Structure formats: C-alpha cells, structure tokens
Amino acid sequence: MPHHPTPAPNAGLEAVVWIDVLLRHGLIHAAVEGSDGQWLAQIRPESTVWLLRDADEVLTLAAALQQQLRAADGENR
C-alpha cells in the first residue's frame, strides 16, 4: 500500500506567510488564496497565472525562487 504523507498541521499557515514574504519583496506580482486552500499566483504582471493546488506547492514555489536568487547572487559576485 503506498504511503501518502500527511500534511504538516501548520502547512497552510506557512504558505500564507511565504506568500506574504514573496509579495513584500517583489518576488511575485500577485497571489490569491481560494476557499479550498488552492492559490492563484502570478510572478509578473504579464506572466501566466499559476494554480498552486496546496500549501506544498506554495512552499515549492518559494524554494524555487530562493534558489534562483542565490544563483543570481552567485553570478553577480
């Protein structure tokens, strides 16, 4: 029987905090949480709107943006 990890109890709250940080630092243009815990997010005003199905996908987006920033920072040194 496959094992499906249960989401962390505060994953939704952590997603909200990460969205706030990403918005405040200008790393994403807009994000809206749906009543079902899904998110719509847009990186730039002209970019595609992404559907993030749950908190894990929000956290994955935040991690990917952090990696991009670190890579760009390393190139600028």
Side-chain angles (χ1 to χ4, degrees):
M1 179 176 288
H3 173 69
H4 297 286
T6 50
N10 294 326
L13 179 59
E14 187 175 359
V16 170
V17 171
W18 271 111
I19 289 290
D20 183 55
V21 167
L22 296 173
L23 286 166
R24 279 191 286 129
H25 288 279
L27 299 173
I28 61 174
H29 171 69
V32 177
E33 183 180 15
S35 60
D36 57 359
Q38 294 186 16
W39 287 84
L40 296 175
Q42 192 174 24
I43 304 299
R44 292 179 306 280
E46 69 281 355
S47 68
T48 302
V49 175
W50 292 85
L51 172 63
L52 306 172
R53 293 177 294 228
D54 56 24
D56 286 339
E57 289 192 4
V58 172
L59 300 178
T60 300
L61 173 64
L65 291 171
Q66 286 179 335
Q67 288 178 335
Q68 288 177 3
L69 284 173
R70 287 182 184 131
D73 186 44
E75 292 171 2
N76 294 329
R77 288 184 184 212

